[in-house]
């Protein structure tokens, strides 16, 4: 863990980066803030945008929060933006697109403005109940993690950090603004978001957060399959998916959202005649990532993650002492289709990933002739990686 001097230095550097990033997007952010101010409302950059500014990686997606109600936001933003959408207005969010000149470049900014709010699940509903708040402090305390519970009031660029988010960002740790139990009760998906942010940012998760995830793992069942799927995708497509997947397994959450993964922890036979299939699977995911040429490939990574899920059901101890997994690729393809369908993946993606799982033991170059398999270009070397060290 960093010492106090290191954290102070990191905080100072983060502050400098944030100021630089905020100045970069000032033309669009300040212009919008002035319009809210003229209408009698406040506006602040918030959440992931502030976190990314502190990390020096603020992009063109900007998140704002305001005391204005959604209909007031629409009145302010429609004459200003190039395009406006209100699909999230039931949750207090108005989206917009705005082209602005930054330096010598025209940039297209994707903007979301959300009214101060609080939301919570009850024990039977799959959808959060939304109520609007009157202060930014009330809004920030309901956010998932302290590193996402910071704001910058505009146009004066005043930092608002009531929960120590900048210190946690410097320490690279994920904590919740209130107790993790309260946070996860409000929205159980935040448990998966902890794993996702650990994978995206390469952060550690605070011990009390991990404990709450273990104790409340079953609460994830109240969340819709679509939200679970979207969060899982972000984790899988992150820079460090192994870290996030391991956290889901270690806390027991994977038992509810992807039970086929912890099931790969096969009990070793006394002579250790087969490898740890779970560890092998995580290695294969990393090997698949190394094959990507055009950025993260969801089809490839899902196939790598699921390629051996048929092994627990097909494991046999032969008379000669060998361990076999005959036809695990066929069983695994059926299991893949069932799991991905339950998670509401598209029919096309289910078909592609299932096909790759089914073919993962085929020889190098399979699919280079007629009837090419999905993603065959990427997978032409992947089967050997997938099956390396396997006993079919």
């Amino acid at each position: 863990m960093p010492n106090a001097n290191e954290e102070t230095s990191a905080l100072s550097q983060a502050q400098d980066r944030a100021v630089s990033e905020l100045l970069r997007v000032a033309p669009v952010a300040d212009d919008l803030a002035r319009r809210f101010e003229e209408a009698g409302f406040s506006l602040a950059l918030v959440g992931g945008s502030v976190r990314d500014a502190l990390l020096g990686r603020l992009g063109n997606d900007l998140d704002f929060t305001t005391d204005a109600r959604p209909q007031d936001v629409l009145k302010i933003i429609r004459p200003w933006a190039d395009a406006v959408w209100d699909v999230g207005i039931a949750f207090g969010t108005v989206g917009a697109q705005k082209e602005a000149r930054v330096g010598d470049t025209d940039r297209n900014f994707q903007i979301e403005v959300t009214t101060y709010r609080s939301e919570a699940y009850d024990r039977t509903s799959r959808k959060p109940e939304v109520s609007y708040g009157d202060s930014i402090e009330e809004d920030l305390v309901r956010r998932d993690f302290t590193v996402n519970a910071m704001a910058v009031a505009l146009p004066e660029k005043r930092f608002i950090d009531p929960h120590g988010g900048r210190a946690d960002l410097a320490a690279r740790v994920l904590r919740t603004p209130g107790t993790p139990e309260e946070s996860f009760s409000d929205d159980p998906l935040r448990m998966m978001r902890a794993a996702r942010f650990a994978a995206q940012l390469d952060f550690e998760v605070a011990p009390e957060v991990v404990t709450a995830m273990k104790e409340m793992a079953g609460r994830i069942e109240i969340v819709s399959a679509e939200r679970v799927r979207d969060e899982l995708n972000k984790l899988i497509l992150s820079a460090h998916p192994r870290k996030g997947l391991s956290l889901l397994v270690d806390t027991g959450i994977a038992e509810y959202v992807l039970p086929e993964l912890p099931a790969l922890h096969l009990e070793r036979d006394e002579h250790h005649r087969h490898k740890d299939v779970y560890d092998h699977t995580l290695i294969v995911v990393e090997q698949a990532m190394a094959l990507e040429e055009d950025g993260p490939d969801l089809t490839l990574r899902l196939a790598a993650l699921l390629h051996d899920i048929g092994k627990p059901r097909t494991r046999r101890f032969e008379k000669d002492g060998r361990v076999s997994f005959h036809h695990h690729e066929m069983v695994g393809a059926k299991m893949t289709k069932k799991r991905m369908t339950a998670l509401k993946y598209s029919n096309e993606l289910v078909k592609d990933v299932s096909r790759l799982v089914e073919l993962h033991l085929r020889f190098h170059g399979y699919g280079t002739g007629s009837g090419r398999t999905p993603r065959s270009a990427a997978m032409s070397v992947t089967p050997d990686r997938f099956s390396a060290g396997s006993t079919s």
Side-chain angles (χ1 to χ4, degrees):
M1 295 291 291
N3 60 38
N5 289 334
E6 290 173 337
E7 288 190 8
T8 299
S9 176
L11 277 172
S12 177
Q13 292 172 12
Q15 188 89 11
D16 290 343
R17 285 194 298 268
V19 170
S20 175
E21 292 288 273
L22 292 170
L23 288 173
R24 184 175 61 80
V25 302
V28 64
D30 288 352
D31 186 18
L32 184 58
R34 280 191 292 269
R35 290 174 179 268
F36 273 80
E37 192 173 50
E38 290 169 0
F41 300 108
S42 300
L43 187 73
L45 197 69
V46 73
S49 292
V50 177
R51 179 199 69 222
D52 289 344
L54 287 163
L55 291 172
R57 53 181 233 180
L58 181 61
N60 291 349
D61 293 343
L62 303 178
D63 295 327
F64 298 93
T65 189
T66 180
D67 56 347
R69 296 304 191 251
Q71 292 303 323
D72 293 316
V73 173
L74 284 173
K75 291 178 183 178
I76 297 168
I77 211 167
R78 272 180 172 152
W80 173 80
D82 299 320
V84 175
W85 50 93
D86 60 3
V87 293
I89 200 166
F91 298 98
T93 299
V94 174
Q97 178 179 311
K98 177 68 174 179
E99 183 176 297
R101 178 162 287 273
V102 178
D104 297 326
T105 307
D106 288 328
R107 304 279 291 274
N108 274 313
F109 290 93
Q110 302 298 314
I111 291 165
E112 285 192 349
V113 181
T114 302
T115 302
Y116 299 158
R117 67 187 186 189
S118 61
E119 62 187 32
Y121 279 78
D122 63 32
R123 291 289 172 178
T124 58
S125 175
R126 287 181 175 270
K127 295 182 179 180
E129 298 176 352
V130 177
S131 60
Y132 299 127
D134 296 313
S135 71
I136 194 167
E137 289 78 14
E138 183 182 1
D139 181 84
L140 294 178
V141 75
R142 59 152 289 275
R143 293 180 178 265
D144 52 8
F145 302 104
T146 59
V147 297
N148 297 328
M150 298 178 284
V152 178
L154 298 172
E156 66 269 29
K157 297 180 179 60
R158 174 175 56 88
F159 273 91
I160 304 171
D161 181 20
H163 305 289
R166 281 176 290 181
D168 286 341
L169 197 67
R172 304 179 65 82
V173 63
L174 291 172
R175 292 190 306 108
T176 53
T179 69
E181 290 80 8
E182 290 173 335
S183 181
F184 297 156
S185 181
D186 283 348
D187 186 353
L189 189 67
R190 290 173 177 173
M191 295 185 289
M192 288 192 68
R193 286 169 65 84
R196 189 250 289 189
F197 283 123
Q200 283 185 333
L201 302 173
D202 196 20
F203 279 20
E204 299 303 318
V205 180
E208 69 274 13
V209 176
V210 174
T211 297
M213 291 170 68
K214 291 178 179 178
E215 294 175 349
M216 302 179 67
R219 188 87 168 99
I220 197 70
E221 289 187 301
I222 201 66
V223 181
S224 70
E226 291 85 353
R227 294 186 74 212
V228 168
R229 174 204 63 207
D230 292 346
E231 202 61 46
L232 185 62
N233 286 349
K234 293 173 184 177
L235 189 162
I236 291 171
L237 292 172
S238 69
H240 308 277
R242 179 175 186 145
K243 189 167 192 172
L245 291 168
S246 296
L247 184 59
L248 291 182
V249 171
D250 293 344
T251 56
I253 294 171
E255 294 283 355
Y256 298 93
V257 300
L258 193 65
E260 295 81 4
L261 183 59
L264 294 176
H265 272 307
L266 294 180
E267 183 179 339
R268 300 287 291 268
D269 65 283
E270 61 179 335
H271 300 294
H272 304 294
R273 294 179 183 272
H274 67 86
K275 62 185 176 300
D276 183 337
V277 182
Y278 169 75
D279 188 60
H280 162 75
T281 293
L282 297 182
I283 291 173
V284 168
V285 171
E286 294 174 330
Q287 290 175 331
M289 291 168 62
L291 299 174
E292 296 169 337
E293 297 179 353
D294 300 315
D297 186 327
L298 182 61
T299 304
L300 183 65
R301 293 194 187 190
L302 281 171
L305 181 64
L306 301 172
H307 80 282
D308 267 351
I309 62 173
K311 280 191 170 180
R313 292 190 182 180
T314 58
R315 183 173 64 156
R316 296 291 183 273
F317 294 97
E318 306 294 351
K319 292 180 179 179
D320 62 2
R322 292 185 306 112
V323 179
S324 67
F325 304 94
H326 293 307
H327 305 302
H328 75 271
E329 72 280 14
M330 304 297 292
V331 172
K334 293 179 180 179
M335 292 172 65
T336 294
K337 182 178 180 180
K338 182 177 180 180
R339 177 53 53 196
M340 291 185 66
T341 299
L343 288 172
K344 309 295 185 182
Y345 280 98
S346 69
N347 291 335
E348 181 180 3
L349 189 59
V350 172
K351 181 180 178 181
D352 286 356
V353 175
S354 300
R355 185 65 169 158
L356 291 179
V357 171
E358 180 183 348
L359 297 178
H360 80 264
L361 290 180
R362 300 300 178 93
F363 57 83
H364 173 82
Y366 185 96
T368 55
S370 60
R372 289 169 62 87
T373 60
R375 292 291 198 277
S376 57
M379 293 298 294
S380 62
V381 297
T382 304
D384 293 333
R385 298 284 190 104
F386 275 19
S387 58
S390 298
T391 304
S392 62

